[in-house]
Amino acid sequence: MESRSNTYAAAGVDITAGYKAVELMKKHIARTAVPGVMGQVGGFGGLFELDLEGINKPVLVSGTDGVGTKLKMAFMLDKHDTIGIDCVAMCVNDIICVGAKPLFFLDYIACGKNVPERIEQIVAGVCEGCVQSGAALIGGETAEMPGFYPVDEYDLAGYCTGVVDKDKIINNNDMQEGDMIIALPSSGVHSNGFSLVRRVFGLDKPDLMAVKAGNAELGGRSLGETLLAPTKIYVKPVLTLLDEVKVKGISHITGGGFYENIPRSIPAGLCARIEKRAVKVLPIFNLIAAVGNIDERDMFNTFNMGVGMTIVVAKKDAKRALETLRACGEDAYLIGEIVRGSDKIELV
């Protein structure tokens, strides 16, 4: 017998829409299948069989995050097929900071009204993020919550699990004065600082999103297109790098910018000295600073400024690290070094 409830539908929850959404997303989920995936989507739990060959002391590493108010950009542009990449990126980019290879991912979508085609677009983005990071989407949840969310809005969060050999966990125990700091470029604002971005540009009116704001500065893209650019996923280049050189520290530059995130990988007694002139600041950040009249300190303490991740290696390994990352398609470059100090970070 087909599952349906007319009274529940009258209350605003259409369970048949949920079934349709699951059917629509299956072809996207199939793209993420990796060795270890067991069972099929739709059960009460996602199954994954661990292959521990070559891992002597397996340690599971988990990460969870959402997309924040960047979702407002998706609502305004009615474009929902990339926001899922952001959700995956915010999780997998975190766990790679300790050297963990992502294994699987789960998503959670809460919405005011389940529109199956829109849910499919969101999940398609999640699946693309999983493909980029080598993780499998093995489950998730879509909750229709009328009266809690507006009918055209939703929230999106995710969770990932990865694995790393205990003896290969990246820590800062060996970091020392003279080590070099490598920058991996970001694709834009990523998924942080959007409450400030929206206030700066007054993004409460959808028509503003289509304006070719700062056409020359933004390479002809609209402000909306620029802001909605998905967060870059660094997993595969970093995993390749870990096979080539000893990495002493990694920082994912998210909310809090340079000042909050880089010190998280720096031990007491040492300081990350960043050369501001070396940072390849993306045009969108110059536009935000100019329109919002935001000082340099606040910009570096809120946004990634064009650097999505920093990596610390020994000076003798810096050239090889740069060559390896560039061979992976990353325009990696040096932005500073480790020095003695108590502040943990200096921008000079």
Side-chain angles (χ1 to χ4, degrees):
M1 181 180 293
E2 184 181 88
S3 175
R4 67 177 184 274
S5 172
N6 294 331
T7 52
Y8 205 8
V13 178
D14 183 358
I15 57 178
T16 59
Y19 303 147
K20 181 179 179 181
V22 170
E23 287 303 311
L24 289 174
M25 65 178 73
K26 282 184 177 179
K27 62 179 179 291
H28 302 291
I29 296 172
R31 295 181 58 218
T32 76
V34 298
V37 174
M38 299 176 62
Q40 298 193 10
V41 173
F44 289 100
L47 303 177
F48 193 93
E49 182 179 12
L50 278 174
D51 178 3
L52 300 178
E53 183 178 355
I55 302 178
N56 295 320
K57 302 175 183 177
V59 175
L60 296 179
V61 183
S62 60
T64 185
D65 210 337
V67 183
T69 61
K70 184 175 184 176
L71 289 171
K72 290 283 189 181
M73 308 295 106
F75 303 158
M76 290 178 183
L77 292 178
D78 193 24
K79 180 174 171 55
H80 311 281
D81 60 345
T82 62
I83 205 73
I85 300 175
D86 292 281
C87 188
V88 176
M90 296 304 292
C91 298
V92 298
N93 283 346
D94 275 356
I95 70 169
I96 195 63
C97 289
V98 296
K101 172 183 170 56
L103 298 173
F104 58 81
F105 190 86
L106 292 92
D107 61 6
Y108 174 78
I109 304 168
C111 57
K113 180 176 177 59
N114 188 330
V115 180
E117 293 76 14
R118 184 167 61 204
I119 299 298
E120 178 192 8
Q121 291 179 43
I122 298 168
V123 174
V126 171
C127 292
E128 175 58 28
C130 287
V131 169
Q132 290 183 24
S133 61
L137 180 62
I138 64 170
E141 174 70 12
T142 301
E144 191 172 19
M145 301 168 64
F148 194 88
Y149 291 97
V151 295
D152 292 325
E153 296 189 4
Y154 56 85
D155 198 5
L156 173 64
Y159 164 87
C160 69
T161 292
V163 65
V164 63
D165 196 313
K166 185 176 181 179
D167 293 331
K168 296 181 180 180
I169 292 174
I170 298 172
N171 54 50
N172 53 29
N173 293 343
D174 297 326
M175 198 175 294
Q176 61 185 11
E177 183 179 14
D179 288 341
M180 306 305 293
I181 304 171
I182 295 172
L184 298 185
S186 70
S187 57
V189 184
H190 283 184
S191 301
N192 305 100
F194 274 87
S195 294
L196 177 56
V197 167
R198 287 167 42 240
R199 184 182 67 79
V200 166
F201 293 117
L203 295 178
D204 292 326
K205 298 179 180 178
D207 58 317
L208 290 177
M209 297 295 290
V211 175
K212 295 288 182 180
N215 188 14
E217 296 96 322
L218 302 181
R221 292 192 303 175
S222 73
L223 181 59
E225 290 169 334
T226 302
L227 294 174
L228 197 58
T231 304
K232 196 169 187 179
I233 292 175
Y234 301 99
V235 170
K236 292 181 179 179
V238 172
L239 287 175
T240 299
L241 180 66
L242 294 178
D243 288 334
E244 297 295 325
V245 303
K246 179 176 176 56
V247 173
K248 300 186 179 186
I250 302 180
S251 291
H252 182 201
I253 313 302
T254 56
F258 280 47
Y259 283 98
E260 180 176 323
N261 292 290
I262 294 179
R264 294 168 68 178
S265 64
I266 310 298
L270 294 178
C271 172
R273 179 172 291 166
I274 305 296
E275 295 182 24
K276 288 184 290 187
R277 291 178 299 177
V279 177
K280 298 178 182 180
V281 178
L282 293 176
I284 183 61
F285 297 110
N286 294 326
L287 188 62
I288 292 170
V291 175
N293 192 29
I294 303 172
D295 64 41
E296 184 179 72
R297 175 64 165 73
D298 279 0
M299 288 296 296
F300 275 94
N301 207 160
T302 306
F303 302 105
N304 67 62
M305 299 302 285
V307 177
M309 185 164 279
T310 59
I311 300 173
V312 178
V313 299
K315 188 172 184 178
K316 66 179 180 62
D317 292 328
K319 181 180 178 181
R320 186 177 178 187
L322 289 170
E323 290 173 347
T324 300
L325 290 165
R326 289 167 182 167
C328 292
E330 292 294 330
D331 185 21
Y333 62 98
L334 296 175
I335 58 168
E337 64 178 325
I338 300 298
V339 299
R340 294 193 180 278
S342 57
D343 289 340
K344 286 201 172 184
I345 185 168
E346 295 177 358
L347 270 69
V348 297

